[in-house]
Amino acid sequence: GACRGGVYLGEEIAGRALAGATRVLRREQSRFEMEYDRAATGEAYVLTVEALARADGGAVVSRADVTARRRAQREVEEQRRTLAHLARAAMLGQLSGALAHELNQPLTAILSNADAARRLLRDGKIDTDEMAEILDDIAREDRRAAEVIRHLRAFFRRGESDVQPLDAGEIVREVMQLAHEEMIAR
């Protein structure tokens, strides 16, 4: 009766409950279960309708309050996200020296190229091919620094990590690119 009244009033939850209970009473299925929320109160429930093993039919209807369980699940998930964020932040402390080095390389190259361009301009030796090469180097190093920063932001962003398959060859190429100046210096 309560479900029919809710259906009459247009309540979507009542409609799902009535349809499930009707299928159990008609023996189309032996059990029906649905979880639903009461938005006004923040409560969560599980409604279960289970057919009785009697010749004249019938069913047992039960409703369980799962608000505390749902709240605990949300808290555990939030704690897991917080822990993952803190682990990434702790790793930042461990990686800070390497990160400073990775950013310092492209910034130093940009400064060196800008100084070389200034010298050419000051000395009046404007070779357009050489100037274009210097500007290309500056742009390439700028993109490299921006890529390091983009990776860092993605790594330390709060929330879910984006796990995806990686191309090992691409990883090797990125490492070689990052270590290029270091390898030349040695």
Side-chain angles (χ1 to χ4, degrees), residues 96-185:
S96 62
L99 296 173
H101 178 73
E102 292 306 321
L103 284 173
N104 194 41
Q105 284 181 345
L107 293 175
T108 300
I110 289 169
L111 182 60
S112 295
N113 280 306
D115 286 343
R118 266 193 227 104
R119 271 193 308 277
L120 288 173
L121 290 171
R122 184 183 58 228
D123 296 343
K125 300 176 183 175
I126 301 176
D127 177 351
T128 56
D129 289 339
E130 188 174 4
M131 190 62 73
E133 188 177 316
I134 288 172
L135 292 173
D136 288 344
D137 285 347
I138 289 172
R140 183 176 54 254
E141 294 300 327
D142 178 73
R143 285 190 297 274
R144 183 172 155 199
E147 188 69 14
V148 169
I149 292 168
R150 188 182 67 74
H151 283 299
L152 284 175
R153 283 185 177 152
F155 183 73
F156 291 105
R157 188 175 300 127
R158 186 176 175 92
E160 293 298 316
S161 298
D162 183 22
V163 179
Q164 58 186 341
L166 296 174
D167 177 0
E170 182 63 27
I171 292 171
V172 170
R173 283 187 290 281
E174 283 186 26
V175 169
M176 294 299 287
Q177 181 184 3
L178 290 172
H180 182 350
E181 276 83 18
E182 189 72 25
M183 291 187 299
I184 289 173

Side-chain angles (χ1 to χ4, degrees), residues 13-84:
I13 292 171
R16 286 186 7 225
L18 179 61
T22 301
R23 286 192 304 273
V24 171
L25 290 171
R26 290 181 181 164
R27 300 292 191 248
E28 294 170 7
Q29 64 187 68
S30 61
R31 188 172 203 280
F32 168 76
E33 183 176 291
M34 68 178 256
E35 197 165 318
Y36 65 96
D37 298 329
R38 295 183 86 187
T41 63
E43 297 169 315
Y45 296 95
V46 171
L47 174 74
T48 306
V49 181
E50 194 150 355
L52 292 174
R54 295 180 8 181
D56 58 343
V60 174
V61 178
S62 63
R63 183 180 83 159
D65 185 343
V66 293
T67 307
R69 181 184 76 195
R70 178 90 60 81
R71 188 176 301 122
Q73 287 171 335
R74 282 192 304 266
E75 287 173 7
V76 165
E77 182 60 28
E78 179 59 30
Q79 289 172 356
R80 187 192 66 75
R81 281 192 302 271
T82 300
L83 184 59

